[in-house]
Amino acid sequence: MQFWVYLLQCADGKYYVGSHRGSDVDARVWEHNEGINPKAFTFSRRPVRLLWCGEFSDPAEMVSFERQMKGWTRAKKEAFVQGDWEGLKALSKSRTAPPVREKGRFYKLTHPDDPEDGDSA
């Protein structure tokens, strides 16, 4: 089974972050556009457009990243979709917490072939 996190842009310009378990994330986007669930956030904001989707092999990682992305500002989501890693890094800096030097899950997801990362083969 495949696990997905996706970002949609609604007709009113709002963003929606969701997850899907299955082989075809396009089928889930179709469900949003068809209005299968009248109580869904996207129901009154159709049509929706898929901006980004990422595949995960571990369902726990999928849930973790979905929650993380849902907490992001609009600016962070836009930087992520555009691949603006420096902008995303700047938007991610906390004004109160000390800096963390460790490369975490997000970095590994966006930089899978980094030769400086000890986990790369």
Side-chain angles (χ1 to χ4, degrees), residues 2 12 19 36 44 56 59 65 67 71 86 93 96-97 109 113:
Q2 294 168 294
D12 63 2
S19 60
I36 303 294
S44 63
F56 294 79
F65 190 72
R67 286 181 182 160
E86 290 304 314
K93 288 187 178 180
T96 58
L109 174 70
D113 299 323

Side-chain angles (χ1 to χ4, degrees), residues 7 24 35 74 76 87 98 117:
L7 176 66
D24 188 7
R74 180 179 186 86
K76 280 179 80 169
D117 184 8

Side-chain angles (χ1 to χ4, degrees), residues 39-90:
K39 294 181 180 179
F41 176 84
T42 58
F43 185 81
S44 63
R45 294 172 171 87
R46 295 175 286 156
V48 299
R49 181 171 63 100
L50 181 66
L51 294 180
W52 176 85
C53 66
E55 185 178 358
F56 294 79
S57 57
D58 178 15
E61 286 185 15
M62 172 196 70
V63 170
S64 177
F65 190 72
E66 178 188 14
R67 286 181 182 160
Q68 180 181 11
M69 189 180 241
K70 282 185 175 189
W72 288 355
T73 63
R74 180 179 186 86
K76 280 179 80 169
K77 291 172 186 168
E78 289 172 352
F80 179 78
V81 169
Q82 295 167 3
D84 180 7
W85 310 128
E86 290 304 314
L88 185 63
K89 186 176 177 182

Side-chain angles (χ1 to χ4, degrees), residues 60-61 64-65 68 103-110:
E61 286 185 15
S64 177
F65 190 72
Q68 180 181 11
K103 294 178 181 176
R105 282 193 312 256
F106 172 74
Y107 182 87
K108 292 174 183 175
L109 174 70
T110 58

